[in-house]
């Protein structure tokens, strides 16, 4: 209706009509001078038979010419019937405060609210931000991020437009919007304008002396109070399910805002290669409501050579939000924080908002106790203790008075702090969903003073870290090979990488010929990662192809993977075990190898919390060392396959530059200095104890054969001795049994008695001992001993 000069409203119902005064300064103030009109007419008492209402906007041009520029037909008046005598009926009231209240509010804001010291805000835990509130509401927050005060800082995520929420009546509880069409509209007639107003239909007494029902619409404030100068903050959070615009099935969306003659946005700040972009941008602009009331959010697809394609658009009526009695101009936060990342956004504190709401409902203002822990409102007394069973421990909360007022406001059905989901539509495909955008709008009338700082919804930016992992040793590693001596041996090495960064896989040198499953390495892994602490994920930004214009951002968990392998020269290496550690929630290591078990990695919810193994974040501990178990899947179950001793240290990018260190054992070899491990190679063990090693090797390999051969050899010797001696004994027993016994005795007797011959012969004869050689004499001596023994056991010897 840009060509309209001086419009006026004509209301027709059957044969009755009523018109307003023309608006003389339409370009600067489109409001009617007289805000309330009363039309008295006869109509059926039953609502279903009520006559339609015709609204016409007539433009007064030069020389008294009047032209109907648009009209709207209200076919059913049933939604507008009311009973003004009902006790619970509250007529619509304008959302205004007196000039005195404005001045008091400005003084309150400057003195007590916005100039609070925010020194403690720097000390706040930076792992929580506005995105934390969103993820708490959507359930997308990581399980490892546990914030005990999140119940104090929640918001509502609507899956539709705020106007489509049934509880808020389309935000037209005070003023309804009627679309104006041509006087004789066709099926495809465009909308030529809008009329904002409200109707109430109620019975009027025919008797002029009867009491008349109260008027339903109070007068508007002074004309100079409208239009209103407002500061508007538009928060575009993210979009999803956008229609593809490029040949690769993706698009490069960016945001453009239009409000009146103002246009904001930058096509260079597009999100590449995505259908679910995260914008995280805030646009701040000034406007005059209702002259500039239609906020248009447009999403375009960035194209390098061709013109940019419009993805879709959505329009928000700022006037409806400003005038609505549901407080849609600024959502009501869950808590009243004067500092921190969740600080109060509204210009008015909760106590003044409650007073303003009471006035709008036609109620007396609330009366607070001097301590602020109780209030008398709407005929009832409310105490803070009924809302807070225990004193709150959250930081930066306001006074008792403001907290109690906020609790009462949340019981009044007002619009809470929220994120709405708006559907995008395109003129090229009318009525077809082009995607969704999540956002919200805050409107601040400038006469209430400057608002607080805007909410930081910028996309979370990762912080670069350097992870240093020192592999000291392994033990109890499952053997995979057999040596010549049948020893179970391994050629152990360890490799590791970060999940999602497999290209940067690193591995130690090989510990050859480990007999006990122990390997010593003294080897350092160094990994660089971009970590997003608020989401406990790593972020990787890289181009999919060489010719790609923009990188693609990928998020994945911060997980360190350590694997133990057995090195093979000819065949492929044998996998021994794996260890996966979530750096943001990792099990604490065991101080000794004997205390290390697979139970450290198990998270059984059946076990009580105090019986489960303790977990912590490496980003908080900074440095940790000890033993972790490696496991392997065997028969559908995980079992222990080895243990590894490591030191894990996380450093910021600045700290890594100060404490420089090299990979492996290369320079700069420091923090800590890693010396080559002292390993004894099995080849040199033969030279250190060759006999023992030879016996060990052959005994371990051929011990059963050696024992069997010894037994066979012993049995063979016994058989050989028996076979060799048996013929002689058999022959002696068969031929002369007496000779076998007597002959030796006679010989022995002669030999023994020979030295006892007469002395006369002794001079001429030599003794047998003298005539024999020394060896023969020695044998005779032994024979004498045997003869003596025989004399003792035999009764008598035969005569010689």
């Amino acid at each position: 209706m840009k060509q309209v000069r001086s419009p006026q409203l004509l209301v027709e119902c059957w044969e009755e009509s009523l018109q307003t005064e023309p608006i003389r300064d339409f370009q600067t103030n489109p409001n009617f001078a007289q805000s309330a009109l009363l039309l008295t007419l006869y109509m059926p008492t039953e609502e279903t038979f009520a006559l339609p209402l015709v609204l016409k906007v007539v433009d007064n041009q030069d020389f008294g010419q009047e032209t109907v520029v648009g009209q709207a037909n209200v076919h059913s008046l049933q939604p507008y019937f009311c009973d003004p005598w009902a006790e619970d009926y509250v007529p619509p009231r304008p959302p205004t405060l007196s000039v005195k209240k404005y001045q008091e509010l400005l003084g309150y804001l400057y003195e007590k609210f916005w100039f609070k010291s925010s020194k403690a805000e720097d000390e706040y835990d930076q792992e929580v931000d506005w995105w934390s509130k969103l993820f708490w509401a959507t359930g997308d927050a990581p399980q490892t991020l546990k914030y005990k005060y999140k119940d104090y800082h929640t918001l509502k995520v609507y899956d539709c437009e705020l106007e489509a929420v049934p509880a808020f009546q389309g935000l037209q509880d005070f003023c309804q919007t009627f679309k104006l069409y041509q006087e004789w509209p066709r099926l495809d007639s465009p909308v030529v304008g809008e009329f904002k107003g409200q109707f109430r239909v109620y019975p009027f007494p025919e008797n002029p002396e009867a009491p008349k029902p109260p008027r339903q619409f109070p007068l508007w404030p002074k004309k100079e109070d409208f239009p209103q100068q407002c500061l508007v903050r538009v928060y575009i959070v993210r979009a999803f399910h956008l229609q593809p615009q490029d040949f690769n099935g993706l698009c490069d969306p960016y945001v453009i805002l239009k409000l009146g003659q103002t246009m904001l946005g930058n096509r260079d700040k597009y999100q590449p290669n995505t259908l679910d972009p995260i914008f995280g941008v805030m646009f701040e602009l000034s406007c005059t409501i209702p002259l500039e009331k239609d906020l248009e959010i447009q999403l375009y697809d960035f194209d390098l050579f061709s013109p940019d394609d419009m993805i879709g658009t959505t329009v928000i009526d700022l006037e409806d939000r400003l005038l609505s009695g549901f407080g849609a101009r600024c959502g009501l936060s869950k808590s009243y924080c004067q500092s921190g990342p969740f600080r109060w956004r509204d210009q008015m504190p909760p106590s003044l908002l409650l007073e303003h709401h009471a006035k709008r409902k036609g109620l007396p203002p609330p009366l607070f106790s001097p301590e602020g822990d109780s209030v008398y409102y709407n005929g009832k007394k409310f105490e803070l203790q009924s809302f807070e069973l225990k004193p709150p421990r959250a930081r930066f909360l306001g006074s008792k008075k403001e907290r109690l007022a906020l609790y009462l406001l949340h019981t009044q059905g007002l619009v809470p702090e929220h994120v709405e989901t708006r559907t995008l539509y395109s003129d090229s495909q009318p009525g077809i969903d082009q995607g969704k955008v999540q956002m919200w709008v805050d409107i601040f009338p400038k006469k209430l003073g400057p608002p607080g700082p805007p909410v930081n919804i910028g996309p979370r930016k990762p912080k670069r870290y350097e992870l240093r992992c020192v592999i000291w040793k392994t033990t109890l590693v499952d053997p995979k090979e057999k040596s010549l001596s049948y020893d179970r041996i391994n050629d152990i090495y360890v490799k590791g990488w970060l999940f999602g960064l497999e290209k940067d896989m690193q591995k130690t040198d090989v510990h050859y010929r480990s007999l006990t499953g122990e390997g010593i390495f003294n080897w350092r892994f160094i990994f660089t990662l971009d970590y997003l602490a608020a989401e406990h994920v790593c972020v990787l930004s890289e181009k999919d192809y060489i010719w790609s214009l923009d990188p693609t951002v990928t998020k994945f968990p911060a997980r360190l993977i350590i694997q133990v392998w057995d090195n093979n020269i000819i065949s492929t290496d044998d996998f021994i075990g794996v260890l996966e550690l979530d750096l943001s929630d990792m099990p604490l290591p065991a101080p000794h190898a004997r205390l290390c078990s697979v139970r450290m990695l198990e998270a059984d919810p059946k076990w009580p919390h105090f019986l489960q193994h303790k977990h912590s974040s490496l980003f908080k501990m900074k440095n940790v060392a000890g033993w972790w178990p490696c496991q392997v899947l065997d028969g559908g179950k995980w079992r222990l396959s080895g243990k590894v001793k490591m030191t894990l240290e996380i450093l910021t990018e600045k700290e890594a530059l100060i404490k420089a260190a090299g990979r492996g054992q290369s320079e700069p070899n420091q923090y800590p200095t890693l010396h080559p491990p002292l390993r004894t190679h099995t080849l040199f063990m033969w030279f250190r104890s060759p006999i023992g090693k030879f016996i060990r090797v052959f005994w371990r390999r051929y011990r059963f054969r050696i024992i069997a051969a010894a037994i066979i050899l012993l049995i063979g010797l016994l058989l050989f001795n028996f076979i060799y001696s048996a013929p002689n004994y058999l022959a002696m027993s068969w031929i002369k049994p007496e000779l076998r016994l007597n002959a030796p005795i006679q010989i022995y007797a002669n030999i023994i008695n020979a030295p006892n011959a007469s002395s006369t012969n002794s001079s001429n004869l030599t003794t047998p001992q003298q005539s024999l050689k020394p060896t023969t004499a020695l044998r005779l001596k032994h024979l004498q001993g045997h003869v003596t023994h025989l004399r003792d056991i035999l009764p008598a010897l035969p005569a010689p």
Side-chain angles (χ1 to χ4, degrees), residues 394-453:
R395 304 174 64 183
F396 312 122
L397 294 180
S399 62
K400 294 181 179 180
K401 176 182 177 181
E402 302 301 337
R403 299 204 308 270
L404 179 57
L406 184 57
Y407 285 127
L408 287 179
L409 286 171
H410 278 293
T411 63
Q412 304 301 308
L414 302 179
V415 175
E417 182 180 2
H418 65 278
V419 171
E420 58 178 306
T421 305
R422 304 190 66 87
T423 304
L424 300 172
Y425 294 99
S426 175
D427 294 337
S428 60
Q429 296 177 329
I432 298 179
D433 186 350
Q434 302 295 318
K436 308 286 186 181
V437 59
Q438 287 187 329
M439 55 168 295
W440 86 89
V441 179
D442 287 340
I443 306 173
F444 305 105
K446 290 186 177 181
K447 61 176 60 179
L448 296 181

Side-chain angles (χ1 to χ4, degrees), residues 508-522:
T508 65
D509 60 344
V510 182
H511 185 122
Y512 289 100
R513 316 297 289 178
S514 174
L515 298 174
T516 60
E518 180 177 348
I520 305 175
F521 301 98
N522 299 347

